[in-house]
Amino acid sequence: AGKLTEFWSNSSRCIHQMSIKNVVKTPLICGQPTDESHPHLVMKGELVPGIQKEEFMIRRRKLIESVLSTRKDFYHVIVIPSAVRQYMSDHIPYPFRQNTDFLYFSGCQETDCALVLCGNSVDNFTSTLFLKPYDPQSELWNGPSTKAECAPSIFGVDDGKILPQLSEFIMSELKGHNNCVLWYNQKQKVQSIVDRTVNNAAAENSIYLDDSLVDHCHKLRLYKSLAEQSLMRQSCQIASKAFIKAMMSTKPGSTEHELYARLDYECRMGGAEYLAYPPVVATGNNANTLHYIDNKQIIKDGDLILVDAGCEYHGYSSDISRTWPANGWFSDAQKTLYEATLCVQKELIDMCQERPSLDTLYEAMCFKLGKALAAAHVFKKNVDPSELNMVSI
């Protein structure tokens, strides 16, 4: 009997261990990639590719600290809306791009949301993320969205609610505290629902609405963390490789549009989400139009091609301008102009080591470029500096 009991005990233990091994953990379903659903994009501990969840928490703390420096004896309510989905016609959406300030402080890549920070000290503030309410019809078309109750664990905020609760929440915060300041960017109204809610709350409670929030946000965004610097370098590397391949593919008889397509393709194949902005691909005289983006002309033998393009890589953009000959060879005049411009550019890069102002760099560029072009007999020797400014513009 003892041996039989031991046999059944060992057998049930083996079956239990086998069942544990066969259990597959279901990835957390939310409205953006996570380390569970997209391990090839998001590493363990990251909220978005390349940036840890803790970094977003530090950013929110710094924002509270920044606004507190303006009014220490007040209770502050900060509202930052997400972007909404935009449509090119009827039900055909544009690719969604998040409101950059909202993404910077929340890490949330979803539509129709809002981040609210409330408090009167860096040690006594709360962060609440308002998300879309569950809508099965919308999720059928646009995919899943994050449930409000999951916001603290995913985004590192203190609480999660649904967007229809925003008005009641703001009203409660304003009425529950004395000396309140409501912070909101009035200059960039990216979401009408949030805009109406904030302005109605300010009017009903006779609360001062400070629209200088963007200054505080951009002051913090000006200084890049090591993680951000890494993403920026990768964005530049992707675009640089795309430029090289575009140069190699250039030939007379092809079109600006084909070159545009090559840049777009190579950037996406390198890991970028899309181009950072509509690129300038200008052959010949088209390059004299500053924001030429038609990109439809045939590339002729002997033309120079000016390309201004970059890519967006996980929220960080590159911006590169290059000029090269369509047939692979500079004429004597083209070579003279190119080398003069390149020489000035290198001198300006060296000047950056001293951290001059942009105005100082611009003035130096006008002077040095004018001098170089005068030496190349493009300008007269005694050209007036004011004329050089007009040419540079």
Side-chain angles (χ1 to χ4, degrees):
K3 289 184 178 181
L4 187 61
T5 301
E6 183 180 356
F7 170 77
W8 283 113
S9 176
N10 290 336
S11 297
S12 67
R13 189 182 300 114
C14 289
I15 293 171
H16 176 67
Q17 290 174 346
M18 289 174 63
S19 65
I20 291 177
K21 290 180 180 179
N22 290 331
V23 171
V24 178
K25 185 179 179 182
T26 303
L28 181 65
I29 297 176
C30 64
Q32 65 189 63
T34 67
D35 60 339
E36 294 182 357
S37 64
H38 294 70
H40 60 292
L41 288 179
V42 185
M43 301 297 104
K44 193 72 175 177
E46 292 179 349
L47 179 51
V48 298
I51 302 182
Q52 297 282 315
K53 183 195 301 184
E54 287 72 18
E55 183 162 328
F56 290 94
M57 298 168 71
I58 292 171
R59 292 173 180 177
R60 293 193 286 268
R61 185 180 182 88
K62 286 184 176 179
L63 181 57
I64 281 286
E65 186 176 7
S66 181
V67 300
L68 279 167
S69 66
T70 64
R71 297 179 183 84
K72 293 184 179 179
D73 298 325
F74 285 77
Y75 187 81
H76 300 268
V77 179
I78 301 171
V79 182
I80 306 176
S82 76
V84 295
R85 197 177 302 279
Q86 301 290 340
Y87 293 84
M88 61 182 77
S89 65
D90 296 329
H91 301 293
I92 310 300
Y94 286 106
F96 177 72
R97 189 183 188 281
Q98 187 59 278
N99 174 20
T100 312
D101 286 341
F102 176 80
L103 180 62
Y104 182 82
F105 291 105
S106 70
C108 179
Q109 298 172 325
E110 302 183 38
T111 67
D112 305 283
C113 304
L115 175 68
V116 181
L117 307 180
C118 303
N120 53 15
S121 76
V122 291
D123 299 317
N124 182 32
F125 80 95
T126 61
S127 56
T128 306
L129 187 60
F130 291 81
L131 298 161
K132 289 186 297 186
Y134 175 66
D135 182 349
Q137 183 68 16
S138 175
E139 294 198 4
L140 179 65
W141 284 94
N142 301 313
S145 57
T146 304
K147 306 298 183 293
E149 58 268 22
C150 298
S153 61
I154 294 175
F155 299 102
V157 293
D158 296 307
D159 195 11
K161 297 181 181 295
I162 56 174
L163 194 62
Q165 296 175 300
L166 178 63
S167 179
E168 180 184 355
F169 179 86
I170 293 177
M171 287 291 194
S172 175
E173 289 294 317
L174 295 179
K175 290 179 179 178
H177 299 87
N178 296 322
N179 297 330
C180 292
V181 179
L182 185 54
W183 296 83
Y184 177 70
N185 183 4
Q186 292 274 46
K187 301 180 183 73
Q188 187 182 18
K189 299 175 187 265
V190 297
Q191 191 180 152
S192 59
I193 293 176
V194 175
D195 184 65
R196 284 197 304 270
T197 298
V198 171
N199 280 279
N200 289 344
E204 186 171 328
N205 292 275
S206 300
I207 295 295
Y208 175 63
L209 183 57
D210 196 320
D211 66 352
S212 66
L213 176 62
V214 65
D215 298 332
H216 295 271
C217 293
H218 291 183
K219 182 177 68 175
L220 295 175
R221 288 176 52 195
L222 181 62
Y223 298 94
K224 305 301 182 185
S225 68
L226 293 177
E228 289 180 289
Q229 292 174 40
S230 177
L231 290 170
M232 292 168 72
R233 289 191 185 95
Q234 291 179 70
S235 180
C236 291
Q237 289 167 2
I238 292 168
S240 296
K241 291 176 181 177
F243 263 79
I244 292 171
K245 291 184 178 180
M247 290 178 187
M248 294 171 63
S249 71
T250 304
K251 61 182 183 295
S254 61
T255 65
E256 295 166 340
H257 179 74
E258 291 175 60
L259 207 51
Y260 177 167
R262 170 66 66 176
L263 285 163
D264 192 11
Y265 170 78
E266 296 296 347
C267 284
R268 290 174 187 265
M269 291 302 292
E273 285 83 11
Y274 31 68
L275 294 180
Y277 48 88
V280 174
V281 183
T283 181
N285 193 50
N286 290 338
N288 289 318
T289 301
L290 294 182
H291 284 173
Y292 173 81
I293 58 173
D294 285 350
N295 305 333
K296 296 174 182 177
Q297 190 55 265
I298 293 175
I299 298 171
K300 299 174 184 177
D301 191 17
D303 276 352
L304 285 179
I305 302 167
L306 168 67
V307 175
D308 182 348
C311 65
E312 183 164 314
Y313 179 74
H314 302 316
Y316 291 84
S317 296
S318 47
D319 185 342
I320 301 174
S321 294
R322 291 293 183 271
T323 303
W324 64 89
N327 59 15
W329 299 93
F330 286 106
S331 68
D332 290 342
Q334 290 170 346
K335 183 177 180 181
T336 298
L337 287 172
Y338 186 89
E339 289 184 342
T341 306
L342 180 61
C343 181
V344 171
Q345 183 188 45
K346 288 180 177 179
E347 291 179 14
L348 293 172
I349 291 173
D350 290 339
M351 284 181 61
C352 290
Q353 302 300 319
E354 303 299 323
R355 300 195 177 190
S357 68
L358 292 178
D359 286 340
T360 300
L361 281 174
Y362 176 76
E363 291 171 3
M365 180 271 293
C366 291
F367 176 78
K368 291 176 181 292
L369 192 57
K371 187 177 178 181
L373 293 176
H377 305 290
V378 177
F379 289 165
K380 57 188 179 183
K381 295 279 186 183
N382 59 344
V383 64
D384 188 271
S386 62
E387 294 182 56
L388 296 178
N389 284 332
M390 290 301 296
V391 170
S392 300
I393 291 171

